[in-house]
Amino acid sequence: MPSRIVYLNGHFLPLEEAHVSVMDRGFLFGDGVYEVIPIFCGKLFRPQAHLQRLKASLAAIRLDCVWKEAAYIDLFEKLLQHNPEQGENRSVYIQITRGAGENREHVFPKKEVTPTIFVQCTPFEPVSFETYMQGAKAITLPDIRWANCFIKAITLLPNLLLAQQALEEDAKEVILIREGMAVEGVASNLCLIKNNRLITPPVDGSILSGVTRSLILEIAAQQQIPCIEQKIPVAMLQEADEIWMTGSLKEILPITQIDEMQVGNGKVGPVWQVFFRCYQEIKLE
Ligand SMILES: Cc1ncc(COP(=O)(O)O)c(C=O)c1O
C-alpha cells in the first residue's frame, strides 16, 4: 500500500514525514480552524461554500491567512491526484493553525509567525444503505461546548467526549441541548419535519452554519416545502413527524429514536425520501 501523501506548509510529502513543532499553537491550544470537504463522483462537493466558511472561521479567530479560493482548490486537486488509489468515497481535511510561537503564551505571538497549513485526503465509510433505510438512534446531552459554535474551531474536546458517550450508549448521534433548546449535533445540524414544514434552528452564532443545511434549505425551496428557521424547544422533538441530522459525510441521516422515545411512527419518513433522492441527484450534477 503506497503511503498517503499529505500537504504541509508548501510541500507534498508522505504522511510519515509530515511533522509540526511541539510549539505549534494548534498542538498547545487548539488555536486553529478546519474544514472537511467531501468528494462525490471524483469532484469536490460545494468547495466554495466550505472555503467561505473557512474564511469566516479564520477571520473570527483573527488569523490572517488569506489565500485566493482558486489557490485552495488547486491545492486540493493536486493532493487528490497524489493519492489516486483511495477509491470513491473520500474527503479533504484542511487545518490551519496560528503556527509555532517562540514561547507558550496565551496571547498571540508578538513576532510574526507563519500559520501551519495541513491538508490530507482520506477515504471515509459512508452511512450504510441499511442505516438510511432503518434510521438511527440519537441521544440528548447538555451542550457543553463553548459559545462561539459558528467557528469551525479545532478545539473539539467537548465534542469528542459527547461522541464517545453516544457510541457507548449505542447511538449514532447526539442532539445537544442548551438552555432547553435542541441546538445541533456534535458534527451535524438538526432538522425537523412537522405537518410537512421543515424546521431548523437559525444561524445565530450558536450553531455551525452547515453546508449540507444550506443545501437542505435549497431543496426545500425547490420542493415548495415551507421552512421555518427557529429555536427548537426540547418538547418539540416529541411532536416531530421526522427528525434528521445533516452533515457533509453523513448527508441526511434520519433519526428514528431519541433516548427512549420513538420519533414519529418510528420509521424513516416520506419527506426524508424526497430530500434524500434530490440530494443524490445534486451529487451527480
Ligand atoms: C458542530 C457541527 N455542526 C454541523 C456540521 C455540519 O456541517 P456541514 O454540513 O458543512 O458538514 C458540522 C460538521 O462538521 C459540525 O461540526
Side-chain angles (χ1 to χ4, degrees):
M1 187 76 175
S3 175
R4 184 193 314 161
I5 301 297
V6 302
Y7 171 92
L8 181 65
N9 296 334
H11 305 282
F12 291 97
L13 69 180
L15 178 63
E16 302 71 40
E17 290 169 28
H19 302 294
V20 291
S21 160
V22 289
M23 292 309 289
D24 193 278
R25 292 178 61 93
F27 175 68
L28 292 176
F29 299 119
D31 185 4
V33 296
Y34 75 106
E35 267 305 322
V36 180
I37 309 173
I39 317 288
F40 294 130
C41 308
K43 281 194 305 202
L44 290 157
F45 191 60
R46 305 230 149 180
Q48 287 82 5
H50 285 277
L51 289 172
Q52 250 175 36
R53 190 170 61 189
L54 180 66
K55 222 168 122 185
S57 294
L58 286 167
I61 68 162
R62 296 165 54 197
L63 210 171
D64 193 12
C65 173
V66 195
W67 283 21
K68 291 243 165 19
E69 203 174 278
Y72 284 113
I73 292 185
D74 185 53
L75 163 57
F76 298 157
E77 282 176 349
K78 284 203 178 97
L79 188 64
L80 293 171
Q81 284 161 17
H82 275 290
N83 293 279
E85 73 300 332
Q86 282 182 337
E88 278 275 289
N89 299 305
R90 51 185 182 154
S91 63
V92 168
Y93 174 88
I94 174 163
Q95 168 168 326
I96 305 182
T97 76
R98 207 177 303 275
E102 239 167 57
N103 298 309
R104 182 190 175 279
E105 49 181 358
H106 289 188
V107 293
F108 299 169
K110 290 181 193 64
K111 280 199 194 145
E112 203 168 305
V113 222
T114 313
T116 302
I117 305 184
F118 168 61
V119 190
Q120 64 169 346
C121 55
T122 47
F124 72 91
E125 187 72 41
V127 176
S128 70
F129 182 70
E130 289 72 35
T131 302
Y132 278 137
M133 291 301 103
Q134 279 164 22
K137 175 183 166 184
I139 57 174
T140 50
L141 290 175
D143 189 350
I144 55 170
R145 303 173 306 158
W146 70 324
N148 291 333
C149 293
F150 70 98
I151 304 175
K152 206 160 162 61
I154 58 178
T155 38
L156 288 174
L157 178 62
N159 303 53
L160 307 186
L161 295 175
L162 293 160
Q164 180 62 26
Q165 188 170 340
L167 180 74
E168 288 167 9
E169 293 190 29
D170 201 24
K172 285 225 159 36
E173 282 287 339
V174 177
I175 299 175
L176 296 167
I177 311 297
R178 186 173 284 200
E179 292 167 357
M181 301 292 159
V183 178
E184 63 176 335
V186 166
S188 55
N189 290 117
L190 174 67
C191 238
L192 203 141
I193 301 293
K194 180 70 191 167
N195 298 334
N196 268 319
R197 289 158 180 256
L198 189 148
I199 305 168
T200 191
V203 175
D204 61 0
S206 62
I207 64 165
L208 186 79
S209 173
V211 172
T212 319
R213 176 188 177 282
S214 309
L215 190 43
I216 300 284
L217 296 180
E218 277 177 37
I219 297 174
Q222 257 171 32
Q223 297 295 316
Q224 298 180 340
I225 302 220
C227 284
I228 308 164
E229 293 182 66
Q230 65 154 75
K231 293 218 180 265
I232 300 187
V234 177
M236 208 186 243
L237 299 176
Q238 287 159 16
E239 292 154 19
D241 300 325
E242 300 183 29
I243 292 180
W244 317 331
M245 310 289 294
T246 68
S248 291
L249 304 188
K250 65 193 54 140
E251 306 182 12
I252 316 171
L253 180 65
I255 300 298
T256 43
Q257 183 187 341
I258 298 177
D259 301 324
E260 297 320 312
M261 178 193 83
Q262 175 178 298
V263 176
N265 65 4
K267 301 225 157 55
V268 173
V271 187
W272 177 86
Q273 314 266 0
V274 174
F275 276 66
F276 190 69
R277 199 190 58 238
C278 294
Y279 192 90
Q280 302 312 313
E281 283 166 8
I282 294 170
K283 275 165 63 179
L284 298 175
E285 278 171 7

